[in-house]
Amino acid sequence: MEAFLREVQEVVKRYPQKRAAILPALYLAEQRFGWLSQEAYEAVAEALNMPKATVKGVATFYSMYRKAPMGRNLIQLCTNVACMVMGAETLLQLLERRYGLRPGGTTEDGRFSLVVMECIGACDRAPAMLVNKDFHPNLNENNIIEILEGYS
Amino acid sequence: MERILLKNIDNPESHRLKEYERVGGYSSLRKVLEQMSPQDVIEEVKTSGLRGRGGAGFPTGMKWEFASRDPKFPKYLICNADEGEPGTFKDRPILERNPHLLIEGMVISAYALKAEIGYIYLRGEYPYAKTVLEEAIREAYEAGYLGDNILGRGVRFHLSVHQGAGAYICGEETALIESIEGKRGQPRIKPPFPVNVGAWGMPTVVNNVETLANVPYIVEIGGEEYKKIGSPECPGPKLYSVSCCVKRPGVYELPMGTTLREIIYEHAGGIRDGRQLKAVIPGGISTPVLTPDRIDCPMDFVSLPKYGSMLGSGAVMVLDDSVCMVKVTWRAMRFFEHESCGKCTPCREGTGWLRNILERLEGGMGRPGDIELLQDVAKSIQGKTFCPLGDGAASVVLSFVRNFPEEFEFHIKEKRCMVGEG
């Protein structure tokens, strides 16, 4: 917890007002707690000396924060227009067949969670996904499984 | 055209400081600090005719002038690296492969504005760019290009990355400022404009990545020379990101005003699989769709409105005859519904209704009168919202319905797509 507080204090220095550190502090909390649990919100609120409601109110606006527990690996698959035109829908169907994975869901063994994304800026290499922080472009029905099998 | 913004990016080490310096990097910053006053820099940028590359095309020099004239201090410089407009990935090569160009552009701009603190608002979907930028910032601090005494000239500028978290609306500058301040990213009403009342109530310049990346070159060759590139009313190089049904999708750096035809057929290699061109979205999903008879349009801020669309971010989405226009409109609307910040009722409710109607058309459950209903709802959003998100959503629907009425009618009558297996 001390380390978390120190990290948040480091971030606060970049801004003229400490409230600005809410977004980066939420990312730090996510790293520490795995997702934005009540405990995580409390930690951020305490570190910034701010009501928990303020912190939570900010977090819920942003889609990329993990507001529920996630599997060990988070698949963020883009299905926006370019990825859709290039075949992202068949990949979604494949993930359901292969892993029983639906958008917003997690596999029973906790290995994967799937989130459908709104444009990840990879339209020239569509369809594309992020797995955790790794970027995987030019997906098709063969290579997507190969890639995912590399994540335990 | 010689590459300016994407210079050296084929070099796998292009993101490193020593590689950037090797090809002349940071010499513009030296020139500025040794020979130019802040006002000189502003004048040079005004002379260059540079217009903001984020979509609005506002003259950059003028924006700087407004912020510079405001007597309040401190002033802030923010780089908008939130490129979330679907179809857009033009800033990505700068962020990932030429980060020092952006940093140099920001230090010069900050000097011109007398801003001592800057942020790069980077979208959460670009984690790799974050790593690259933070490493480049670290290198720049170490080399004395950032800090309290830049190049020993007593100039101060501190820069950090502020990572967004998946909200498209934060690409709108006032929402972006709210987000930097640690709030929900909902747009503010304008005026006052950020140049006077921006971050923490102070004069703030928000410029797009590509805009700032033009600044070192303007300083290097001078505004008059720079103005010779591109079209007279919109000078300079432009990054066009070309995607969907072309043979060679990618980012192309070309003179501003290159025609859509040249971009699609010469640079991107034409339509894939021997198919026919059906539609082009010229500037990202929020810009009205064009039909193939309009592709001789020069791609710049002043020409596209004459052809019924907008340059936007210069994200060219090329759709061939295998793509269903109803489906594209539906998917685009799902995006707008998801990304509407919820502040203005017409946008918050309207995008949901539009998506709903489009979904039943796409699913073969369309009803007679749905086309008119789509137009009616879209017109009830247009011009009735704080920020341009609502207008974008409305114009997508209106332009697709206007240009491809037969596909929408076919969906209602035949309960299926005109194209493909759907």
Side-chain angles (χ1 to χ4, degrees), chain B residues 50-63:
Chain B
L50 175 66
R51 286 167 174 244
R53 301 294 198 244
F58 191 81
T60 306
M62 209 188 286
K63 192 186 253 190

Side-chain angles (χ1 to χ4, degrees), chain B residues 243-296:
Chain B
S243 64
C244 299
C245 311
V246 288
K247 287 182 187 148
R248 290 192 301 270
V251 180
Y252 295 93
E253 180 176 356
L254 301 167
M256 180 78 92
T258 303
T259 65
L260 256 181
R261 181 183 300 280
E262 184 184 328
I263 293 170
I264 296 170
Y265 287 96
E266 284 182 35
H267 302 286
I271 311 303
R272 63 175 185 181
D273 305 334
R275 288 199 166 266
Q276 292 295 309
L277 175 65
K278 185 189 212 169
V280 188
I281 301 170
I285 203 79
S286 303
T287 60
V289 65
L290 296 174
T291 44
D293 56 311
R294 322 228 90 189
I295 63 168
D296 287 307

Side-chain angles (χ1 to χ4, degrees), chain B residues 347-380:
Chain B
C347 171
R348 183 187 65 233
E349 302 299 318
T351 51
W353 277 106
L354 290 171
R355 194 265 308 140
N356 202 6
I357 299 161
L358 287 159
E359 203 156 282
R360 72 175 180 237
L361 284 175
E362 177 59 19
M365 289 176 285
R367 307 166 192 165
D370 272 354
I371 295 175
E372 294 72 20
L373 190 55
L374 282 173
Q375 290 169 318
D376 185 45
V377 176
K379 284 175 188 159
S380 304

